[in-house]
């Protein structure tokens, strides 16, 4: 799906806030074709972006998983309405990165009542099967358009009881059009490797100081949100500025 242009006047969805301490987690893998030819502008600090206001230093800085690349990470959940609204902008950020940067995704699980744990498991399962990027738009659509993976009751008046929430088998059906055997999907979802990825992911969310979604992170050093950046378009601009800052060794 082609990313919609971000506009400053667009209403920004309220972010999902971590109401409980996030559990452990792993660094996510890069989206394929998330980089473009190196055309990053030179780093210029004209005072527009202010540490502690527009972006925040992560102390200590966290390790990244792509040596030699500047890692740009979106911390998200398919079940987060603000992440759904931000999704076209996240696509725009990924497409705008220079060749020395890579986009990665880190699914959060700190909102169990809205089925974020299952959605996190689905992401890591799809990643292991090589279809996470291919199914990215479809997963958002399954939650927010067709609502087959929605945590809301059919009347839209509240959440479904835990026993009625969509399951990993339901998520497997979303990935089936991308060539995934639903039974294989369920088996990988239940594997030790997927459980370990989820545990490490929750640990990483906590170590990065994530308090809401969506949150952007550059190279394990800087954290910011749509709100701190000032809007969707500004989030794209701030991301590129921080990538240039890292490339310049500033």
């Amino acid at each position: 799906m082609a990313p919609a242009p971000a506009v400053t006047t667009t209403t920004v969805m309220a972010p999902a806030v971590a109401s409980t301490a996030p559990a452990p987690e792993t660094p996510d893998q890069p989206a394929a074709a998330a980089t473009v030819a190196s055309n990053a502008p030179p780093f210029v600090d004209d005072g527009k972006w202010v540490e502690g206001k527009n972006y925040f230093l992560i102390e200590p800085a966290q390790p990244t998983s792509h040596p030699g690349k500047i890692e740009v990470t979106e911390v998200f959940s398919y079940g987060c309405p603000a992440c759904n609204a931000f999704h076209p902008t996240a696509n725009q950020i990924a497409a705008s990165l220079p060749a020395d940067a890579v986009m990665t995704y880190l699914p959060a699980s700190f909102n169990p009542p809205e089925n974020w744990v299952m959605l996190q498991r689905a992401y890591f399962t799809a990643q292991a099967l090589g279809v996470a990027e291919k199914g990215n738009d479809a997963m958002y659509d399954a939650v927010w358009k067709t609502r087959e993976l929605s945590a809301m009751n059919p009347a839209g008046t509240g959440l479904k009881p835990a026993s009625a929430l969509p399951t990993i088998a339901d998520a497997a059906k979303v990935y089936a059009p991308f060539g995934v055997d639903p039974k294989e999907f369920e088996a990988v979802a239940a594997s030790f490797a997927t459980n370990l990825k989820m545990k490490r992911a929750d640990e990483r969310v906590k170590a990065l100081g994530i308090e809401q979604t969506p949150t952007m992170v550059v190279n394990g050093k800087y954290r910011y949100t749509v709100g701190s950046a000032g809007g969707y378009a500004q989030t794209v601009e701030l991301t590129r500025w921080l990538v240039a800052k890292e490339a310049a060794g500033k």
Side-chain angles (χ1 to χ4, degrees), residues 168-190:
I168 200 69
D170 295 315
K173 296 174 185 176
V174 177
Y175 289 102
F178 302 101
V180 175
D181 178 353
K183 293 299 182 185
E184 181 184 11
F185 191 92
E186 291 181 53
V188 174

Side-chain angles (χ1 to χ4, degrees), residues 65-99:
S65 55
H66 297 84
K69 293 282 188 179
I70 298 168
E71 213 170 72
V72 177
T73 302
E74 181 196 5
V75 184
F76 79 105
S77 172
Y78 291 123
C80 162
C83 298
N84 181 52
F86 182 70
H87 180 47
T89 303
N91 284 347
Q92 185 179 351
I93 288 171
S96 72
L97 295 179

Side-chain angles (χ1 to χ4, degrees), residues 7 24 26 28 45 57 80 90 99-100 117 130 136 150 171 183 188-189 216 218 222 233:
V7 280
T26 5
D28 61 273
D45 189 355
L57 198 62
C80 162
D100 59 350
V117 177
N136 207 24
S150 175
K183 293 299 182 185
V188 174
M216 298 298 298
V218 170
Y222 308 110

Side-chain angles (χ1 to χ4, degrees), residues 77-82 84 139-147 150:
S77 172
Y78 291 123
C80 162
N84 181 52
M139 284 296 288
Y140 276 112
D141 287 349
V143 176
W144 300 104
K145 290 185 178 178
T146 66
R147 307 191 73 80
S150 175

Side-chain angles (χ1 to χ4, degrees), residues 194-226:
T194 298
N195 288 333
L196 183 60
K197 284 183 178 181
M198 292 173 68
K199 179 177 184 294
R200 288 178 174 169
D202 290 341
E203 289 171 344
R204 186 164 177 81
V205 166
K206 186 174 182 179
L208 291 169
I210 304 302
E211 297 179 346
Q212 64 184 56
T213 53
T215 293
M216 298 298 298
V217 175
V218 170
N219 235 23
K221 294 182 181 179
Y222 308 110
R223 177 184 66 242
Y224 51 103
T225 64
V226 175

Side-chain angles (χ1 to χ4, degrees), residues 14 16 21 29 39 75 78 85 102 115 118 123 156 174 222 227 248:
Q29 296 303 310
N39 59 350
V75 184
Y78 291 123
V102 61
N115 217 17
M118 187 281 285
Y123 176 84
V174 177
Y222 308 110

